[in-house]
Amino acid sequence: MTIPVNDLSDPLVRAFVTALNAGDRAALIGLLAPGATMSDDGSDRDLQEWLDREVFSSRGHMDVESEADGGRALVARYRNDTWGEMRTTWQFGVEDGKISRFETGQA
């Protein structure tokens, strides 16, 4: 079972998932704080390179299965043209109304 994107609790995370699923680079980048960081499977990555590779050039898409921590922690089926589909976790940090960090990895 998936949670419709419009039903996600945290408005910033909802906008992130919406932009990611639409492949909307400008909208997604606009949600990130200056100097935002991220990690994938516990290793810090270059945020822009990761987004280009794992989301935009490979048509990334997220179907959210559950949320916790007020909507800032997700379990989702994530798929892209490079890796196919996998079950993933996502944790978002927010500062001053922007995403300052997200951490993702296999669930």
Side-chain angles (χ1 to χ4, degrees), residues 34-82:
T37 61
M38 64 87 53
S39 71
D40 186 355
D41 283 329
S43 297
D44 280 4
R45 308 283 187 205
D46 179 283
L47 178 59
Q48 295 297 328
E49 287 178 10
W50 189 91
L51 288 172
D52 286 341
R53 183 179 63 251
E54 301 293 340
V55 177
F56 300 118
S57 69
S58 61
R59 299 184 318 136
H61 188 89
M62 184 186 305
D63 291 313
V64 178
E65 294 180 348
S66 65
E67 62 178 359
D69 191 25
R72 292 191 179 165
L74 307 177
V75 174
R77 288 190 323 273
Y78 186 78
R79 67 181 179 273
N80 66 27
D81 291 346
T82 303

